[in-house]
Amino acid sequence: MCDLLDRIWSRPRGEWTRVVRNELPDLAEKVVAELQRGFPALAALLGDTPIEEAEWALEQALLTVLGYQKESESKRPAVSSVVTPMPVARARQDLFDVLAGQREAPDDGLHELARAAGWPVPDTLQAVVLATPAEAPQLAAALGHALIGTVEGYTCLFVPDPATQTRPRLEAALKGRAAAVGHVVPATDTASSLRWARYLLTLAPGRVGPDTRPAFVDDHLSALLLLQDESLADALTSRWLGPLEELTPRQSERLEVTLLAWLEGGGAPEAAKLLHVHPQTVRYRLRQIEKLFGPVLRDPRTRFELEMALRSRRLMAHVRSYRARAGRRARAVASSIRPLGMAREARVNGL
């Protein structure tokens, strides 16, 4: 704006109006682009409004403020594309907030709000959470005119009719982006899909590139279930993994990965394949484990809870490690959650 004013004042007064009208379109384009980058809520508010329409409105507002036209002269030109009037955009924002659990539903239900928003609420929905707001309106259009909004700084989409937005289609649309896709839920439970997609995004390492793929809640249901309450997860590990506490960290790690491999595989040979060690090594460690835990290992319920405890400990270690790294830098852009796999966790040869 300062550069524009300098150019205006450097010209004869009679040319000011011409300079302003020639320069303002470019300025309006830059201002709208910067606002969209800096304020994700603006992109959500615009809805399906063509970007050219927003630029034109800003240009008219600047002309009015600068005194080059009266407010009554700033009439909207006819456009061939579909425009979302601001009341509709407001209604869509309100509808998003209700579905996201950020405000109470109207007393008369969602029908009137959905009608005002021009966005009929389907029976089922699926949330998508983006790490960055770039090109969110275009993405929403590609995903069946998804409803856009923001939650605690994250740009989020509610994808209608998930049956038509298949996983390959979602992966193709989101490829190269840091994003998480929630599970399919009834419209009355949309906030749940959104909540778990956001949580999944916070657990992922910050790597973004052309081959980045979105993370899907459906791929991590058991991990998210175990992580939903850290206090309970800690209580579970304390209850069942206490016998390992007297060992050195190295000994405890070896027996933990062996016990989990045995519980997963069902026998020493299968555990040895998972750990890439000799079956005799696994049998030796299992004898040590039996001495520590006793006959409770024969109880199916105990084995189930032991497996949950072991998985919880590894998942919590992963989460805490990520949070520690995130605390030393700006919030990482997420792509996918990668819980530790048994084959990568332990490549131990011998004791």
Side-chain angles (χ1 to χ4, degrees):
M1 178 64 82
C2 291
D3 290 340
L4 174 59
L5 291 175
D6 288 341
R7 287 195 294 275
I8 293 173
W9 291 332
S10 67
R11 311 287 292 182
R13 186 178 182 85
E15 296 183 20
W16 285 9
T17 300
R18 180 180 60 79
V19 174
V20 168
R21 291 189 178 276
N22 288 340
E23 296 275 359
L24 273 184
D26 184 58
L27 176 64
E29 180 182 354
K30 292 177 180 178
V31 170
V32 170
E34 287 299 321
L35 286 173
Q36 283 192 303
R37 279 193 287 270
F39 299 93
L42 177 64
L45 189 63
L46 288 175
D48 294 331
T49 302
I51 197 65
E52 296 82 3
E53 187 73 6
E55 293 167 358
W56 181 88
L58 178 59
E59 180 185 344
Q60 300 309 304
L62 290 172
L63 284 170
T64 302
V65 170
L66 292 172
Y68 284 94
Q69 69 179 16
K70 296 179 180 179
E71 186 173 355
S72 60
E73 296 173 348
S74 58
K75 297 178 180 179
R76 296 168 69 98
V79 293
S80 59
S81 54
V82 177
V83 174
T84 302
M86 292 307 290
V88 174
R90 180 68 263 171
R92 289 191 176 187
Q93 183 63 54
D94 291 343
L95 179 59
F96 176 91
D97 288 342
V98 170
L99 292 174
Q102 299 189 117
R103 59 176 292 177
E104 295 294 328
D107 293 336
D108 56 356
L110 290 179
H111 177 72
E112 285 302 314
L113 185 56
R115 185 182 63 79
W119 203 85
V121 178
D123 293 334
T124 58
L125 290 168
Q126 189 171 22
V128 174
V129 181
L130 309 175
T132 63
E135 299 180 348
Q138 296 90 325
L139 180 60
L143 296 177
H145 296 286
L147 194 64
I148 306 179
T150 58
V151 177
E152 296 185 7
Y154 287 100
T155 299
C156 310
L157 311 175
F158 286 138
V159 180
D161 196 9
T164 61
Q165 305 300 323
T166 61
R167 179 162 181 155
R169 187 170 180 177
L170 285 167
E171 287 181 335
L174 296 168
K175 186 176 180 181
R177 304 185 62 115
V181 181
H183 55 307
V184 177
V185 294
T188 54
D189 195 28
T190 314
S192 175
S193 180
L194 178 61
R195 180 175 69 253
W196 288 113
R198 285 177 54 214
Y199 187 47
L200 178 58
L201 194 60
T202 66
L203 297 179
R207 290 191 297 271
V208 179
D211 295 328
T212 297
R213 295 184 180 277
F216 285 79
V217 166
D218 284 343
D219 293 341
H220 305 285
L221 292 172
S222 60
L224 291 170
L225 186 63
L226 289 172
L227 290 171
Q228 66 177 313
D229 192 304
E230 294 183 24
S231 178
L232 284 179
D234 287 337
L236 183 67
T237 57
S238 296
R239 178 184 179 186
W240 289 109
L241 303 183
L244 300 173
E245 297 301 321
E246 299 300 321
L247 305 176
T248 67
R250 185 177 177 82
Q251 290 172 328
S252 177
E253 174 67 13
R254 286 172 174 172
L255 295 189
E256 277 188 39
V257 297
T258 301
L259 178 56
L260 184 54
W262 176 70
L263 291 169
E264 286 183 331
E270 292 78 9
K273 290 179 182 178
L274 286 171
L275 299 177
H276 301 284
V277 298
H278 195 278
Q280 279 300 107
T281 300
V282 172
R283 292 188 182 97
Y284 177 71
R285 294 180 189 172
L286 288 174
R287 287 194 292 270
Q288 290 181 302
I289 290 170
E290 191 169 4
K291 288 179 182 179
L292 290 169
F293 288 90
V296 295
L297 289 175
R298 301 188 186 95
D299 178 50
R301 179 176 177 179
T302 299
R303 292 199 297 270
F304 173 72
E305 295 207 9
L306 269 172
E307 184 173 353
M308 288 180 62
L310 290 164
R311 289 184 175 278
S312 293
R313 174 172 285 187
R314 273 155 174 70
L315 287 167
M316 288 308 307
H318 171 74
V319 171
R320 287 164 182 160
S321 174
Y322 172 74
R323 287 174 181 169
R325 294 195 304 271
R328 295 190 294 267
R329 62 178 186 268
R331 187 178 65 203
V333 179
S335 59
S336 63
I337 184 172
R338 297 187 181 182
L340 297 176
M342 284 303 307
R344 295 190 297 276
E345 287 173 7
R347 294 181 179 272
V348 183
N349 294 310
L351 295 172

